[in-house]
């Protein structure tokens, strides 16, 4: 099941708030060679290119549907490529800014991933990353619990998302041990006020729900989503509901 930019962008305002918080941590160092890992539709990468007018940005994403939306934004300082984060690391390219907003939670083995990313920073280069803290977010836990029960555990062949996201302390240690300075690492709640349960379902259906549904048949998808919606309603009995969506933001500069 491919990513759907329209569904994802229903919550554009909510998803853009942490982007702006993250981008405000970055120092303008003039002619930077910059990459946006998991750029999606490219809108945020285009904003970064405007914010840092001497920098050249490359936005990468594995989704052709998302990148199709990005093509109209391309210009001489803004380029897009269909690639994974892992392919970028294998390329051996180095950067003055590695930026990633709400994407690296899809990559595994963060104990190895982050040192590899830092190794691809030029001297003075900056790392700026934001990820949802999946282990601490209720909708993610409901989804994971559902997938671990029958009949879904059999239908999914035992597959489930096991979040690779580490603790704040672990990220601070990794960034420090790999030579980053001026560290700024914190967790922030971005509240989502939902007038109904469908709003909560739609928020997660544009991201974390996708890999589950793509492993199920059409009939299985209907049963899975129906049960998921029922569990959301049980967890949020009072409406309007306030969903405390937690995100981790981190910044550091390489000597």
């Amino acid at each position: 099941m491919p990513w759907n930019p329209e569904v994802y962008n229903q919550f554009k305002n909510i998803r853009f708030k942490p982007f702006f918080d993250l981008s405000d941590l970055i120092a303008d160092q003039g002619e930077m060679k910059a990459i946006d890992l998991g750029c999606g539709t490219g809108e945020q990468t285009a904003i970064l290119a405007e914010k840092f007018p001497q920098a050249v940005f490359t936005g990468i994403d594995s989704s052709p549907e998302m990148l199709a939306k990005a093509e109209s934004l391309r210009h001489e300082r803004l380029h897009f490529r269909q690639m994974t984060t892992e392919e970028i690391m294998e390329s051996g390219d180095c950067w003055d800014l590695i930026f990633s907003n709400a994407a690296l939670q899809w990559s595994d083995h963060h104990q190895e991933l982050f040192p590899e990313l830092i190794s691809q920073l030029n001297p003075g280069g900056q790392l700026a990353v934001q990820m949802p803290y999946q282990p601490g977010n209720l909708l993610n836990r409901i989804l994971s619990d559902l997938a671990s029960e029958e009949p879904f555990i059999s239908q999914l062949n035992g597959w489930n998302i096991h979040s690779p996201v580490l603790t704040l302390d672990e990220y601070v240690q990794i960034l420090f041990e790999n030579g980053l300075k001026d560290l700024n690492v914190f967790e922030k709640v971005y509240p989502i006020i939902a007038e109904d349960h469908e709003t909560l379902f739609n928020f997660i259906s544009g991201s974390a729900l996708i890999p589950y549904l793509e492993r199920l048949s059409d009939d299985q998808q209907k049963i899975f989503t129906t049960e998921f919606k029922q569990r959301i309603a049980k967890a949020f009995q009072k409406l309007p509901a306030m969903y405390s969506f937690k995100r981790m933001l981190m910044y550091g500069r390489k000597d």
Side-chain angles (χ1 to χ4, degrees):
M1 176 175 291
W3 284 75
N4 187 323
E6 282 71 31
V7 173
Y8 187 82
N9 279 337
Q10 286 179 12
F11 297 89
K12 181 187 292 187
N13 291 339
I14 294 172
R15 299 187 192 279
F16 269 55
K17 289 179 181 179
F19 161 77
F20 286 115
D21 287 344
L22 184 64
S23 64
D24 285 345
L25 301 177
I26 302 168
D28 189 347
Q29 296 180 333
E31 296 180 358
M32 296 185 292
K33 178 186 176 185
I35 189 165
D36 182 3
L37 303 175
C39 66
T41 60
E43 293 176 89
Q44 295 177 355
T45 325
I47 294 171
L48 290 173
E50 291 181 8
K51 184 180 179 71
F52 303 104
Q54 292 180 279
V56 176
F57 277 87
T58 299
I60 70 152
D61 203 281
S62 61
S63 168
E65 293 81 13
M66 289 290 199
L67 289 175
K69 296 286 186 179
E71 280 306 308
S72 63
L73 302 172
R74 184 186 294 269
H75 57 72
E76 61 180 6
R77 291 191 302 104
L78 178 58
H79 313 279
F80 298 99
R81 298 173 64 186
Q82 185 178 344
M83 295 182 71
T84 65
T85 297
E86 290 71 22
E87 287 171 335
I88 282 293
M89 291 190 297
E90 291 171 1
S91 72
D93 290 341
C94 289
W95 311 87
D96 301 307
L97 170 63
I98 296 177
F99 180 93
S100 183
N101 184 59
L104 292 184
Q105 72 274 12
W106 299 109
S107 295
D108 292 329
H109 309 301
H110 283 201
Q111 290 281 8
E112 292 78 37
L113 172 68
F114 275 76
E116 289 181 17
L117 289 175
I118 293 169
S119 73
Q120 291 186 257
L121 285 173
N122 290 321
Q126 303 172 83
L127 176 73
V129 173
Q130 182 276 123
M131 298 176 292
Y133 185 54
Q134 296 164 329
N137 286 323
L138 181 55
L139 289 179
N140 293 91
R141 296 202 302 270
I142 295 172
L143 182 57
S144 180
D145 289 346
L146 179 60
S148 67
E149 300 174 8
E150 294 292 359
F152 308 115
I153 190 171
S154 295
Q155 294 170 356
L156 292 162
N157 294 318
W159 182 89
N160 204 342
I161 289 179
H162 298 286
S163 175
V165 177
L166 307 174
T167 66
L168 283 177
D169 287 347
E170 288 174 305
Y171 286 116
V172 170
Q173 191 67 26
I174 291 171
L175 302 187
F176 171 74
E177 288 180 353
N178 287 274
L180 294 193
K181 308 295 184 183
D182 303 331
L183 298 183
N184 194 348
V185 182
F186 58 95
E187 181 181 289
K188 183 174 179 179
V189 170
Y190 292 86
I192 298 171
I193 308 301
E195 296 295 329
D196 50 43
H197 298 123
E198 194 71 16
T199 299
L200 294 171
F201 171 79
N202 288 338
F203 175 73
I204 198 167
S205 71
S207 54
L209 182 60
I210 292 173
Y212 290 93
L213 297 185
E214 68 184 4
R215 290 170 167 81
L216 300 173
S217 68
D218 290 345
D219 289 341
Q220 291 168 347
Q221 287 179 18
K222 292 175 184 177
I223 297 171
F224 189 85
T225 54
T226 297
E227 179 63 24
F228 186 36
K229 289 180 179 181
Q230 290 175 353
R231 296 195 183 195
I232 291 173
K234 184 177 180 180
F236 296 90
Q237 296 185 16
K238 185 178 180 180
L239 293 173
M242 199 286 288
Y243 179 39
S244 300
F245 193 72
K246 304 175 185 69
R247 295 180 180 272
M248 302 174 70
L249 295 88
M250 57 191 78
Y251 168 87
R253 179 183 55 80
K254 191 173 186 178
D255 272 350

